Amino acid sequence: MKVYKSNEIKNVSLIGGKGSGKTTLAESILFECGVVNRRGKVTDGNTVCDYFPVEKEYGYSVFSTLLYAERAGKKINFIDCPGMDDFAGNVVTALNVTDAALMLVDGQYGVEVGTQNQYRTVSGLNKPLIMAINKLEAEKSDFDNVLSQLKEAFGNKVVPIQFPVTSGTGFNSIVDLLTMKQYTYGPDGGKATVSDIDASAADKAEELKAELMEAAAGSDDALMEKFFEEMELNEEETMEGLLKGIASCSIIPVICVSGEKNMGVDRMLEVLANIVPSPCDMPGIPNTEGEEVKPDANGPVSLFFFKTTIEPHIGEVSYFKVMSGTLKVGTDLNNANRGSKERIAQINVVCGQNKQTVDEVHAGDIAATVKLKDVRRGNTLNDKGCENMFDYIEYPAPKYQRAIKPLNESEIEKLGSLLNRMHEEDPTWLIEQSKELKQTIISGQGEFHLRTLKWRLENNEKLMVEYIEPKIPYRETITKAARADYRHKKQSGGSGQFGEVHLIVEPFREGDPDPDVYRFGNQEFKMNIKDKQEIPMDWGGMLVIYNCIVGGAIDARFIPAIVKGIKDRMEQGPLTGSYARDVRVCIYDGKMHPVDSNEISFVLAARHAFSEAFKAANPKVLEPVYDVEILLPSDAMGGVQSDLQGRRGIMMDMSSSNGLERIKAKIPLKEMASYSTALSSISGGRASFSMKFASYELVPADVQEKLLKAYEEANNED
């Protein structure tokens, strides 16, 4: 394979909703470029891209796959991404290391929820986008209708540069507006016969060509002036404006293709080779110091490792982008993250499971290597004297959680090791050893996402596990002021234990003035504040403690012990054993013994006094509530709204966006346990959602009663 310079490299993410045909198109790309001599099929489980056992088992892509094509003197690196929302982390990674996206849109169904979600990701990263209407050979395919949907959803920057003479079962030819030629394919696709445009399509070609010229002119002031004067641009000017518009994201060109029939693939590759910006045309990537690193092949070598996989018969494969410099086999580099040294003994260009060794790769290129000693996903390797580090990929928040445990308790350490390794392969699998819940919590993007992890553990690693619904991290707080005192006294020969603490508790509210006087019945307690501690709790909320002791009733040296006792009790609230939060405590009196008082005495006295006061302060249970945003087709609105009501959801806003409905609601985490599955069922898999922690709110009285009863029963069993 020839060595490609930075300006000869094009990096493209191949994205699109589930079932849009990305993997099938990838097979046609590889076949067209001679990388494979026979196209595989997803249904037969023999594609180059879906080669992991779990992908063959389920029949859909789970991991993103690197492949390349050589066309028109350019190397096009594609990263074929899964279409399911559950594997959105792969799309995010791919878009961050490529310079443009090719989004497939199903010619039968047009703009779907997956299309909208991925468009938001692309536009959020400000990446150039090309859209390809695929499956034009399908019976229900309608190019004009889909183009209309795209314009409605994404605006007039959507501009066709190709159109089919006929879409549907008769599809076999494409009119290309860049060359103003017609490309006609035989029954097996492949190389097109190029001819003049048929008379039946000539008027449409002229109309769309004028639209393309106007869009191209809009990307450059000089071109716009010329267009207004002459009402046309020549081919060179049109291409110039188109390239500028694509690079600035002001034009989204639309092309035509049938991955299944291998029609339009040859011309698509030529178009991509010419219109996709090279790494040299894109802004540099900022390192962690905020310095922009340009893809300079003559600069110091700097590699960013964005993905690791464990592959059969190979072991760990590490994928990287050359951020700067020219990497050659045998180069020694420093790991900026881990302080270790690595030698690059092998460089591979990759087509799925097929790998070809090369001697060097230039800045902007994407490749892989094997058997590194100490490199993890997200690490940067540099030449001596170069200190780049990159950490610019932000992953979506999780939407689905389960607690996991091995069926054989003796394998719990093995499970932890495997989960950490899988997180390296997919950073959207989040693993938490929850001290609070006493569970291992796996968070991901949806049920299928976690189901895939379980399948791999059980089938690849032979470790049987089970998922259970995770416990909810409830909180406890108080709603009024209360006082209590407690004397801890113990005598068992020799030195004893003695400590007495009097305190008042009340709710903490941001901005409230410091306490002055409390009244309980006919008693008045005036606070003389000597010291104030504001303690943010690790689990959220505040603990504020006032030392109001006068007259030396308790030595200052015992105050830290009292604070410790209170903090200890905050870790296990008296109602449900959950963490307590947002409490103010005034320590106003007490007693000590000149011999028997010690720290442990005051820790225990404070614990008991705080617990009694807490119980008397009308305590309540709080539950985590999330902001949930749902994107759905209008015909699913009724079912989704009804389901939300059953989940104690509160509707906050409803709106329409680009042909779809958007619902914003607040929903307790307890009610979100299986929401991704329910939403998929209600909408036929056409809706998606995101969720973000909002706040802790009081649970309804009936829910609190159930929680208290369950906690009491659990303690009785113990």
Side-chain angles (χ1 to χ4, degrees):
M1 181 181 184
K2 68 168 281 191
V3 175
Y4 287 90
K5 297 179 180 178
S6 300
N7 62 359
E8 298 172 329
I9 295 165
K10 309 295 175 103
N11 296 317
V12 180
S13 293
L14 183 55
I15 64 175
K18 177 187 176 185
S20 57
K22 298 176 296 300
T23 300
T24 300
L25 176 62
E27 289 292 311
S28 290
I29 290 171
L30 297 177
F31 179 75
E32 189 62 29
C33 293
V35 179
V36 299
N37 55 24
R38 183 173 178 271
R39 291 186 295 151
K41 293 184 177 181
V42 174
T43 51
D44 294 341
N46 61 354
T47 63
V48 170
C49 292
D50 290 353
Y51 59 94
F52 283 95
V54 67
E55 295 176 310
K56 295 180 179 181
E57 171 72 18
Y58 284 137
Y60 52 72
S61 298
V62 170
F63 305 102
S64 58
T65 306
L66 179 62
L67 56 136
Y68 67 87
E70 297 176 277
R71 185 57 54 106
K74 306 292 194 302
K75 179 191 178 192
I76 309 174
N77 291 313
F78 290 97
I79 300 183
D80 175 27
C81 300
M84 289 186 66
D85 233 20
D86 286 43
F87 305 102
N90 290 272
V91 177
V92 171
T93 299
L95 288 171
N96 272 279
V97 297
T98 57
D99 302 305
L102 176 65
M103 178 185 287
L104 266 60
V105 180
D106 193 317
Q108 304 169 94
Y109 304 114
V111 176
E112 301 177 275
V113 169
T115 314
Q116 294 273 21
N117 288 340
Q118 294 194 358
Y119 175 80
R120 285 204 304 273
T121 304
V122 173
S123 58
L125 292 169
N126 203 33
K127 295 284 183 174
L129 175 63
I130 299 100
M131 289 184 165
I133 300 179
N134 189 29
K135 299 188 178 182
L136 287 169
E137 82 290 348
E139 183 179 355
K140 296 180 181 178
S141 181
D142 186 337
F143 175 85
D144 291 334
N145 178 50
V146 174
L147 181 62
S148 177
Q149 290 183 38
L150 291 172
K151 286 179 175 291
E152 181 183 354
F154 310 123
N156 289 329
K157 61 183 176 180
V158 174
V159 180
I161 59 174
Q162 296 175 346
F163 69 91
V165 175
T166 303
S167 55
T169 53
F171 170 72
N172 71 343
S173 58
I174 293 167
V175 172
D176 192 291
L177 302 173
L178 298 176
T179 60
M180 288 303 279
K181 294 292 183 180
Q182 184 166 315
Y183 296 75
T184 303
Y185 298 87
D188 297 323
K191 189 170 179 59
T193 300
V194 184
S195 64
D196 292 334
I197 300 170
D198 287 349
S200 61
D203 289 345
K204 185 174 184 178
E206 291 297 333
E207 179 185 340
L208 293 179
K209 178 71 171 183
E211 181 183 327
L212 173 59
M213 287 190 292
E214 183 176 353
S219 64
D220 182 270
D221 290 342
L223 292 176
M224 177 65 79
E225 186 175 339
K226 183 176 187 295
F227 182 74
F228 280 142
E229 287 177 359
E230 303 178 13
M231 296 310 295
E232 68 175 357
L233 300 176
N234 62 34
E235 184 176 335
E236 182 180 335
E237 291 165 339
T238 301
M239 180 60 77
E240 178 189 349
L242 179 62
L243 293 175
K244 288 182 178 179
I246 293 170
S248 66
C249 304
S250 61
I251 294 178
I252 301 175
V254 178
I255 60 178
C256 303
V257 73
S258 168
E260 178 71 28
K261 296 293 185 180
N262 191 20
M263 295 181 181
V265 178
D266 59 338
R267 179 57 186 155
M268 178 194 77
L269 290 171
E270 292 175 0
V271 169
L272 293 178
N274 287 316
I275 70 173
V276 170
S278 76
C280 302
D281 300 321
M282 299 297 290
I285 304 297
N287 61 22
T288 52
E289 298 297 318
E291 301 164 342
E292 194 174 272
V293 178
K294 297 289 286 185
D296 179 7
N298 297 316
V301 174
S302 190
L303 312 179
F304 175 63
F305 285 79
F306 62 89
K307 176 182 175 180
T308 62
T309 61
I310 305 296
E311 299 189 15
H313 314 300
I314 298 177
E316 188 172 277
V317 180
S318 302
Y319 293 81
F320 61 87
K321 182 175 184 179
V322 185
M323 310 300 280
S324 172
T326 297
L327 177 68
K328 298 182 179 181
V329 171
T331 301
D332 292 319
L333 299 172
N334 299 320
N335 189 323
N337 301 84
R338 305 174 71 81
S340 53
K341 296 183 182 299
E342 298 283 351
R343 170 164 289 187
I344 306 299
Q346 187 179 114
I347 303 172
N348 296 316
V349 292
V350 180
C351 272
Q353 60 184 326
N354 304 320
K355 296 171 178 64
Q356 178 184 345
T357 58
V358 294
D359 293 330
E360 65 181 67
V361 284
H362 285 227
D365 211 345
I366 298 173
T369 189
V370 297
K371 295 181 172 54
L372 296 179
K373 295 183 299 182
D374 190 31
V375 173
R376 301 289 181 267
R377 173 191 48 79
N379 286 182
T380 305
L381 296 189
N382 295 315
D383 257 341
K384 185 177 180 180
C386 178
E387 298 183 356
N388 285 329
M389 284 180 64
F390 298 95
D391 182 21
Y392 60 93
I393 302 179
E394 295 183 11
Y395 290 101
K399 298 184 286 191
Y400 189 84
Q401 286 188 334
R402 280 294 179 265
I404 188 172
K405 64 178 184 178
L407 296 185
N408 184 344
E409 289 291 332
S410 66
E411 295 185 304
I412 194 162
E413 285 190 18
K414 180 182 178 182
L415 174 62
S417 176
L418 290 171
L419 290 177
N420 287 329
R421 194 187 81 191
M422 289 184 175
H423 172 69
E424 279 294 310
E425 296 182 30
D426 183 348
T428 57
W429 278 324
L430 302 181
I431 299 100
E432 177 193 1
Q433 301 291 342
S434 176
K435 173 187 172 184
E436 175 186 0
L437 304 179
K438 298 179 176 62
Q439 291 179 315
T440 300
I441 307 296
I442 303 294
S443 302
Q445 296 298 304
E447 181 188 2
F448 285 112
H449 196 206
L450 266 65
R451 185 191 297 177
T452 300
L453 184 145
K454 185 174 186 288
W455 190 96
R456 292 180 64 196
L457 287 171
E458 295 185 339
N459 291 274
N460 296 351
E461 310 297 340
K462 310 304 178 188
L463 176 61
M464 305 306 293
V465 297
E466 67 173 334
Y467 282 142
I468 55 177
E469 192 169 316
K471 299 172 185 175
I472 302 299
Y474 292 107
R475 298 287 181 263
E476 297 181 18
T477 194
I478 54 178
T479 59
K480 69 176 187 178
R483 63 166 298 278
D485 56 75
Y486 188 86
R487 174 181 291 180
H488 173 74
K489 184 177 181 181
K490 185 177 181 181
Q491 193 72 41
S492 56
S495 296
Q497 294 180 356
F498 183 91
E500 183 174 324
V501 174
H502 298 230
L503 52 77
I504 295 171
V505 300
E506 68 174 345
F508 165 78
R509 301 181 186 89
E510 190 72 42
D512 277 3
D514 292 336
D516 182 22
V517 175
Y518 293 98
R519 292 179 178 82
F520 297 99
N522 295 324
Q523 287 185 288
E524 181 176 283
F525 298 84
K526 184 172 179 58
M527 299 296 106
N528 182 10
I529 299 172
K530 296 172 62 179
D531 182 51
K532 175 182 177 181
Q533 296 185 51
E534 293 182 329
I535 306 170
M537 309 309 294
D538 292 340
W539 49 86
M542 288 287 289
L543 169 63
V544 180
I545 297 180
Y546 296 94
N547 177 5
C548 303
I549 294 172
V550 295
I554 301 175
D555 274 356
R557 62 191 173 97
F558 291 126
I559 297 300
I562 296 173
V563 172
K564 183 180 185 306
I566 294 169
K567 288 173 65 178
D568 287 350
R569 200 65 184 100
M570 292 275 285
E571 288 194 23
Q572 189 175 20
L575 296 180
T576 62
S578 304
Y579 291 144
R581 58 176 285 163
D582 296 329
V583 180
R584 296 206 309 190
V585 183
C586 292
I587 309 162
Y588 68 91
D589 201 1
K591 292 181 181 179
M592 60 182 180
H593 188 278
V595 176
D596 293 342
S597 287
N598 51 28
E599 288 188 3
I600 189 62
S601 300
F602 280 100
V603 168
L604 294 173
R607 280 175 58 91
H608 286 286
F610 178 79
S611 182
E612 289 182 13
F614 196 97
K615 290 177 184 178
N618 195 24
K620 297 291 184 182
V621 177
L622 303 169
E623 63 180 342
V625 174
Y626 278 69
D627 286 326
V628 180
E629 184 173 311
I630 308 156
L631 196 65
L632 67 155
S634 57
D635 59 1
M637 178 69 88
V640 170
Q641 286 180 302
S642 177
D643 179 71
L644 288 179
Q645 291 174 0
R647 296 176 186 275
R648 297 192 282 128
I650 300 174
M651 303 280 287
M652 304 302 293
D653 185 48
M654 289 188 294
S655 61
S656 296
S657 174
N658 298 330
L660 295 170
E661 304 299 323
R662 179 177 277 107
I663 295 176
K664 293 183 179 180
K666 288 189 179 293
I667 308 176
L669 179 61
K670 173 66 175 175
E671 308 298 334
M672 294 295 293
S674 300
Y675 188 63
S676 64
T677 308
L679 183 63
S680 179
S681 176
I682 294 168
S683 66
R686 296 174 298 152
S688 70
F689 76 100
S690 60
M691 56 187 287
K692 182 179 180 181
F693 173 75
S695 60
Y696 271 91
E697 305 290 344
L698 294 174
V699 302
D702 59 325
V703 175
Q704 176 159 322
E705 187 176 337
K706 290 177 184 177
L707 291 172
L708 268 58
K709 184 176 180 182
Y711 183 64
E712 183 181 348
E713 290 175 353
N715 284 339
N716 289 338
E717 289 175 6
D718 293 343

